[in-house]
Amino acid sequence: MVRFWLANGEPNVSLLLRMYEDAEDSDTDELWAWGNILSDIAQHVANGLSIDEDYEFEESMERLSGYFMTAMRERHPGLEGRYVEGEEAE
């Protein structure tokens, strides 16, 4: 659902969007689902740093949350990209 990598010093992201809304038996809101996915990623980062780097989990989550909101405000709408639909995406 999410791929992230660095190429030539630049971040690249590939997303599988509308997976929940397109599912036949799903009434899940896509934005709610992505909020949960982003939360899971943040928790894995905080957990990994608490194990490998002696960071405190709760403090890391608080800091990640603050950095996330700052980046959302300061970088929006500065990202570039395109959305590929249908057969072109395959």
Side-chain angles (χ1 to χ4, degrees):
M1 298 198 31
V2 177
R3 290 184 184 150
F4 179 90
W5 68 99
L6 296 174
N8 299 317
E10 296 290 325
N12 292 268
V13 178
S14 175
L15 303 172
L16 176 59
L17 298 176
R18 303 193 59 85
M19 188 174 93
Y20 291 95
E21 289 182 357
D22 289 346
E24 289 181 24
D25 297 332
S26 176
D27 60 355
T28 301
D29 176 71
E30 190 78 11
L31 291 173
W32 177 87
W34 278 100
N36 278 279
I37 291 168
L38 294 173
S39 172
D40 286 351
I41 292 169
Q43 290 181 61
H44 282 292
V45 168
N47 190 48
L49 289 174
S50 73
I51 294 168
D52 289 344
E53 300 292 332
D54 239 7
Y55 281 62
E56 197 275 316
F57 179 84
E58 293 299 329
E59 180 183 346
S60 294
M61 286 299 294
E62 188 174 318
R63 289 175 59 190
L64 278 170
S65 177
Y67 295 151
F68 178 84
M69 293 309 297
T70 297
M72 290 283 288
R73 284 189 302 272
E74 293 177 357
R75 295 176 63 197
H76 173 75
L79 298 178
E80 296 179 9
R82 63 189 182 97
Y83 181 67
V84 179
E85 294 186 67
E87 291 180 17
E88 186 180 352
E90 295 174 2

